[in-house]
Amino acid sequence: MKNFCLLALFCSVVFSAKAQNTMAPGFEQTNPQFSVNLAVLGTSSRSAAENFYEEGERYERFGDFDSAAMMFNKAANEYKQDKKYNLYGTTLIRLSNVYLYQANFAEAEHVVLKQVLRNYAKMGSKAGQMSAYQQLGKIYLAANKLPQSLWFYTQHGILAQQLQDKNAFIESVLGIASVKIKKKDYLLASKDLNTAELLSKNANTIQYNQIIKNNRAIIAEKTISKKG
């Protein structure tokens, strides 16, 4: 009888929550408080930071970047309070990515320069600093600040070599190639793509093949249109 009463009470709460949202179809997918409460009910063993992070990812998938930013920010604050500084840094990079999607370059830059880099410097984490440099390379590339982008991709590559991280080094070379394409230095960009291709073969990885192929197609298109 006791179990039945508990089940009835739970159903009453759920149906009540749904009834309050009949005016807004899909509300349970866009209301952060309602979604987080359900997540907490279903995953009581998980931390608040993990729940907020998951919500941020979900909003990001749906293209609700304002809500995603809010959730990633909450997750980052929770990780900081829990002294999980590596997760704090990676969550802030996700937050800066959301700002990047919104073309809010100033905020994306601010998060990485003022929070992420300071965090990883305090930790003494070269891997974290490397990720921050790569993110800044992406941000400045999108903002068309090419000298800054080139500098940070170069620093990213230097740390990748120090850490002997083959994939990260390939990504730095590809980032530098993207900058050179934007600068219309197509010959130099092609050389970087050749280097990235060789590095990929030596590392026995194919995950960058499509990126290399796409960039070569861009160069070919730009070169043909320039000749025409």
Side-chain angles (χ1 to χ4, degrees):
M1 182 64 179
K2 184 178 179 180
N3 290 339
F4 176 79
C5 291
L6 288 173
L7 178 60
L9 177 61
F10 176 76
C11 291
S12 174
V13 171
V14 173
F15 290 146
S16 174
K18 288 184 177 180
Q20 291 174 12
N21 294 287
T22 53
M23 298 300 291
F27 180 80
E28 57 271 25
Q29 292 186 351
T30 57
N31 184 289
Q33 187 61 49
F34 182 68
S35 300
V36 169
N37 285 344
L38 285 184
V40 171
L41 282 172
T43 57
S44 57
S45 63
R46 299 179 63 195
S47 69
E50 289 172 319
N51 287 318
F52 285 136
Y53 191 93
E54 185 177 288
E55 286 295 298
E57 288 187 314
R58 192 169 67 82
Y59 283 124
E60 188 179 347
R61 286 196 300 272
F62 282 111
D64 186 352
F65 298 126
D66 287 336
S67 296
M70 178 177 65
M71 287 300 164
F72 283 132
N73 194 43
K74 286 185 176 182
N77 289 334
E78 290 289 337
Y79 281 130
K80 188 177 183 181
Q81 288 180 16
D82 293 340
K83 298 183 179 180
K84 295 180 178 179
Y85 297 118
N86 194 46
L87 291 172
Y88 169 67
T90 56
T91 303
L92 286 174
I93 287 178
R94 288 297 298 271
L95 174 61
S96 76
N97 257 335
V98 172
Y99 290 133
L100 192 54
Y101 294 145
Q102 295 176 305
N104 189 348
F105 306 127
E107 197 62 38
E109 175 191 23
H110 178 82
V111 169
V112 183
L113 282 178
K114 301 299 182 181
Q115 293 175 269
V116 178
L117 274 176
R118 285 180 181 178
N119 173 65
Y120 284 129
K122 187 176 180 180
M123 289 176 62
S125 171
K126 283 190 176 183
Q129 290 174 0
M130 181 179 70
S131 297
Y133 288 149
Q134 181 180 26
Q135 184 68 10
L136 286 167
K138 288 168 56 179
I139 292 167
Y140 289 126
L141 178 64
N144 208 34
K145 294 181 178 180
L146 303 184
Q148 294 94 323
S149 179
L150 184 61
W151 191 87
F152 278 107
Y153 274 129
T154 301
Q155 300 310 307
H156 170 221
I158 291 170
L159 283 179
Q161 286 182 307
Q162 290 178 6
L163 294 170
Q164 297 183 344
D165 188 329
K166 294 179 181 179
N167 285 359
F169 186 64
I170 294 169
E171 289 164 12
S172 75
V173 174
L174 289 172
I176 290 170
S178 295
V179 174
K180 290 176 181 176
I181 289 172
K182 268 205 167 185
K183 290 176 68 177
K184 300 181 181 180
D185 293 336
Y186 301 127
L187 181 59
L188 293 177
S190 294
K191 290 181 179 179
D192 287 331
L193 293 176
N194 291 339
T195 299
E197 184 176 51
L198 180 60
L199 290 169
S200 296
K201 288 179 180 178
N202 291 339
N204 197 28
T205 180
I206 62 171
Q207 63 176 305
Y208 303 108
N209 288 2
Q210 192 60 47
I211 298 173
I212 294 169
K213 182 179 178 181
N214 291 345
N215 279 325
R216 281 177 172 155
I218 292 171
I219 291 172
E221 181 183 349
K222 297 290 186 181
T223 303
I224 291 171
S225 62
K226 188 177 180 180
K227 289 179 179 179

